[in-house]
Coordinates of all heavy atoms in Angstrom, one line a residue:
D47 N 62.9 159.1 275.3 CA 63.3 160.5 275.3 C 64.6 160.6 276.1 O 65.6 161.3 275.6 CB 62.2 161.4 276.1 CG 61.0 161.7 275.2 OD1 61.1 162.0 274.0 OD2 59.9 161.7 275.8
E70 N 65.6 169.6 275.0 CA 64.3 169.9 275.7 C 64.1 168.9 276.9 O 63.2 169.1 277.6 CB 63.2 169.8 274.7 CG 62.9 168.4 274.2 CD 61.7 168.3 273.3 OE1 61.3 169.3 272.7 OE2 61.0 167.2 273.3
E71 N 65.0 167.9 277.0 CA 64.9 167.0 278.1 C 65.7 167.4 279.3 O 65.6 166.7 280.3 CB 65.3 165.6 277.6 CG 64.5 165.0 276.4 CD 63.0 165.1 276.6 OE1 62.5 165.1 277.7 OE2 62.3 165.1 275.5
D89 N 66.3 168.3 270.0 CA 65.0 167.6 270.4 C 65.3 166.2 270.1 O 65.2 165.8 269.0 CB 63.8 168.2 269.6 CG 62.5 167.5 270.0 OD1 62.6 166.5 270.8 OD2 61.5 167.9 269.5
L91 N 63.9 163.3 270.6 CA 62.8 162.5 270.0 C 61.6 163.5 269.9 O 61.0 163.9 270.9 CB 62.4 161.3 270.8 CG 63.3 160.1 270.7 CD1 62.7 158.9 271.5 CD2 63.5 159.7 269.3
D92 N 61.4 163.9 268.7 CA 60.2 164.8 268.4 C 59.0 163.9 268.1 O 59.1 163.0 267.2 CB 60.5 165.7 267.3 CG 59.3 166.5 266.9 OD1 58.9 167.4 267.7 OD2 58.7 166.2 265.8
G93 N 57.9 164.2 268.8 CA 56.7 163.4 268.6 C 56.7 162.1 269.4 O 56.2 161.1 268.9
Ligands
MG303 MG1 60.9 165.7 272.1

Side-chain angles (χ1 to χ4, degrees):
D47 282 320
E70 68 174 29
E71 305 305 336
D89 180 353
L91 284 182
D92 173 69

